[in-house]
Amino acid sequence: MCIFTSDKDIPGHVRLSTRTLQYLIIPLLSAALLVVGVLNINGCAAQPLLPVWHIVAGSTGLIVPLLYLLFDDLNPALAKKCPGLSEALDNVVVFVLPVYILFEIAWLITGTVWVVGVDVNECDKTIHIFSVVVIVNFWIHILTPLLFMLCLCCSRIFPFLGYCTYWNIMKDAIELWTRPVRLGICLVIALPLGVSMVGVGVYSLQSCSNETAEISFKSPNNTSGTDMTATDFELDQDMLDVEMHHIPVWLIVAGILVVLVPVFYFIYDAFCKPEDVKQSTKNLSQLLVILFLLAGLAWAVVGFVWIFGAHNIQNTYCGHNSTTYWFAFASLIILNSLMDVWICFKICVILYWALISDE
């Protein structure tokens, strides 16, 4: 019998959450890990294997959507046409899935040990800070469902305690979690962050354009001390002029996307989650929300590439170690952390529906 059945009996908002995690969030965050590891392959002399950890973690994370596609769609359909092959695939999954989970946990522990033992003075600050943030977030992703399950088990073992404390807190939180509260939290977080990103980006873009003459470019092809020709110098200057504006442009576009988050969250909350919405309206709303998520996550990956690849630019306003650079770096980490909080919340929603809800 196929152990991976159709998810048609799952409520729409829960199914949308699972699909968003499976096919959007996890793949793009894994791609960001992979990109950062490749760009900084020689960025940590104290622990040369730290970038390798990012590459392996990102590569294995990209397997997740393939596994879900196989289990959620292909195998249930295969069970109807070829039950024997589906049964064999189930047996393989029963063996492979625990091995995959154990490998992910072991690799996370390995990365934690490597990061803790790194000498900060001998490792690039950006790759070190990014590693710390990623590892902390990964531990949060693992501990969140475990803590939720622990609370559930404790409430079952000690029913009176669970009913009097945990369940009452959960029920009160659910009752208070109304649409105005959700939109209010979204506005309080998104508007200040988005407006500040746009403001810093516009100011830096103007400052970079005015300070072009003061820029020095560390060219890896000119380490011998020989003079560059006029053509080579012009090409380097043209390349530098483009790369110099990457971070301000990323801040402006990312800030606009952040400001638009409350609008698309309202569309998601009002038209995607309810079951009584007209089907064409729901489909259009889901398409808009998915396209917005794809654009935001893809732009976040672009931010990882541009920000972590800005080591060759030396400029007061837009170069490496400039205030704009560190503001963009901090904004990227904050957005990544907010995304992780959202992921943990979605995990709790899925677990609540699977283990507690009467729906």
Side-chain angles (χ1 to χ4, degrees), residues 26 42 111 121 130 134 144 161 190 210 265 272 320 338 349:
I26 294 177
N42 297 317
N121 297 325
F130 180 76
V134 167
T144 296
L161 178 62
N210 295 332
Y265 182 79
C272 295
H320 181 59
L338 292 174
V349 169

Side-chain angles (χ1 to χ4, degrees), residues 40 42-54 109-132 135:
N40 296 271
N42 297 317
C44 189
Q47 180 50 266
L49 294 176
L50 191 57
V52 177
W53 182 88
H54 287 81
I109 295 174
T110 302
T112 304
V113 173
W114 285 349
V115 169
V116 171
V118 165
D119 185 358
V120 181
N121 297 325
E122 297 181 7
C123 189
D124 184 79
K125 291 182 179 179
T126 53
I127 187 67
H128 180 260
I129 295 175
F130 180 76
S131 301
V132 172
I135 288 175

Side-chain angles (χ1 to χ4, degrees), residues 12-13 179 266-279 282 286:
H13 66 280
R179 182 179 297 169
F266 175 79
I267 295 175
Y268 164 77
D269 200 52
F271 302 106
C272 295
K273 294 173 65 175
E275 298 293 338
D276 56 349
V277 178
K278 188 177 179 180
Q279 190 60 38
K282 176 177 286 191
Q286 290 180 350

Side-chain angles (χ1 to χ4, degrees), residues 39-40 124 126 218 306-314 320 325:
L39 290 177
N40 296 271
D124 184 79
T126 53
K218 295 181 179 179
W306 284 355
I307 293 173
F308 283 87
H311 299 285
N312 291 331
I313 302 175
Q314 297 295 325
H320 181 59
Y325 172 86

Side-chain angles (χ1 to χ4, degrees), residues 70-116:
L70 175 65
F71 302 155
D72 288 348
D73 297 325
L74 299 181
N75 200 36
L78 188 63
K80 300 177 181 179
K81 298 181 179 179
C82 189
L85 182 59
S86 177
E87 185 71 22
L89 184 58
D90 285 343
N91 294 331
V92 172
V93 169
V94 171
F95 172 76
V96 171
L97 193 58
V99 174
Y100 176 80
I101 294 174
L102 288 175
F103 171 79
E104 289 292 324
I105 295 176
W107 194 242
L108 178 58
I109 295 174
T110 302
T112 304
V113 173
W114 285 349
V115 169
V116 171

Side-chain angles (χ1 to χ4, degrees), residues 28-349:
L28 286 175
L29 291 180
S30 300
L33 275 173
L34 184 61
V35 168
V36 171
V38 171
L39 290 177
N40 296 271
I41 192 66
N42 297 317
C44 189
Q47 180 50 266
L49 294 176
L50 191 57
V52 177
W53 182 88
H54 287 81
I55 295 174
V56 174
S59 301
T60 54
L62 293 175
I63 300 176
V64 172
L66 299 178
L67 294 176
Y68 277 111
L69 180 64
L70 175 65
F71 302 155
D72 288 348
D73 297 325
L74 299 181
N75 200 36
L78 188 63
K80 300 177 181 179
K81 298 181 179 179
C82 189
L85 182 59
S86 177
E87 185 71 22
L89 184 58
D90 285 343
N91 294 331
V92 172
V93 169
V94 171
F95 172 76
V96 171
L97 193 58
V99 174
Y100 176 80
I101 294 174
L102 288 175
F103 171 79
E104 289 292 324
I105 295 176
W107 194 242
L108 178 58
I109 295 174
T110 302
T112 304
V113 173
W114 285 349
V115 169
V116 171
V118 165
D119 185 358
V120 181
N121 297 325
E122 297 181 7
C123 189
D124 184 79
K125 291 182 179 179
T126 53
I127 187 67
H128 180 260
I129 295 175
F130 180 76
S131 301
V132 172
V133 172
V134 167
I135 288 175
V136 169
N137 290 334
F138 278 5
W139 278 115
I140 293 174
H141 294 166
I142 292 178
L143 295 178
T144 296
L146 291 179
L147 181 61
F148 190 90
M149 294 291 292
L150 179 62
C151 293
L152 179 61
C153 292
C154 290
S155 66
R156 297 306 185 189
I157 296 173
F158 307 102
F160 296 102
L161 178 62
Y163 179 79
C164 295
T165 57
Y166 179 72
W167 294 121
N168 286 337
I169 294 174
M170 288 288 295
K171 292 178 180 179
D172 292 340
I174 293 173
E175 291 177 359
L176 293 175
W177 193 248
T178 59
R179 182 179 297 169
V181 173
R182 295 193 294 268
L183 287 175
I185 294 175
C186 189
L187 286 169
V188 169
I189 295 175
L191 288 183
L193 179 60
V195 172
S196 62
M197 291 174 69
V198 173
V200 172
V202 171
Y203 174 78
S204 301
L205 190 63
Q206 296 175 348
S207 301
C208 289
S209 301
N210 295 332
E211 296 291 332
T212 304
E214 298 181 6
I215 299 173
S216 61
F217 185 78
K218 295 181 179 179
S219 176
N221 299 323
N222 192 35
T223 57
S224 60
T226 58
D227 294 335
M228 298 173 62
T229 63
T231 303
D232 292 337
F233 181 78
E234 290 177 358
L235 290 175
D236 281 342
Q237 286 297 112
D238 292 339
M239 183 186 301
L240 177 61
D241 187 57
V242 173
E243 293 183 352
M244 183 182 61
H245 295 87
H246 279 173
I247 294 179
V249 169
W250 181 85
L251 281 172
I252 295 172
V253 177
I256 294 173
L257 291 174
V258 171
V259 170
L260 292 175
V261 165
V263 176
F264 283 90
Y265 182 79
F266 175 79
I267 295 175
Y268 164 77
D269 200 52
F271 302 106
C272 295
K273 294 173 65 175
E275 298 293 338
D276 56 349
V277 178
K278 188 177 179 180
Q279 190 60 38
S280 59
T281 303
K282 176 177 286 191
N283 292 337
L284 179 59
S285 301
Q286 290 180 350
L287 178 62
L288 290 175
V289 171
I290 290 174
L291 290 176
F292 179 77
L293 285 174
L294 278 175
L297 292 170
W299 195 245
V301 175
V302 172
F304 281 113
V305 175
W306 284 355
I307 293 173
F308 283 87
H311 299 285
N312 291 331
I313 302 175
Q314 297 295 325
N315 179 263
T316 305
Y317 296 99
C318 298
H320 181 59
N321 286 331
S322 65
T323 303
T324 302
Y325 172 86
W326 287 111
F327 180 83
F329 180 82
S331 301
L332 189 63
I333 297 301
I334 291 173
L335 292 175
N336 181 69
S337 300
L338 292 174
M339 180 63 67
D340 288 323
V341 171
W342 183 73
I343 291 174
C344 291
F345 178 77
K346 288 300 181 182
I347 292 174
C348 291
V349 169

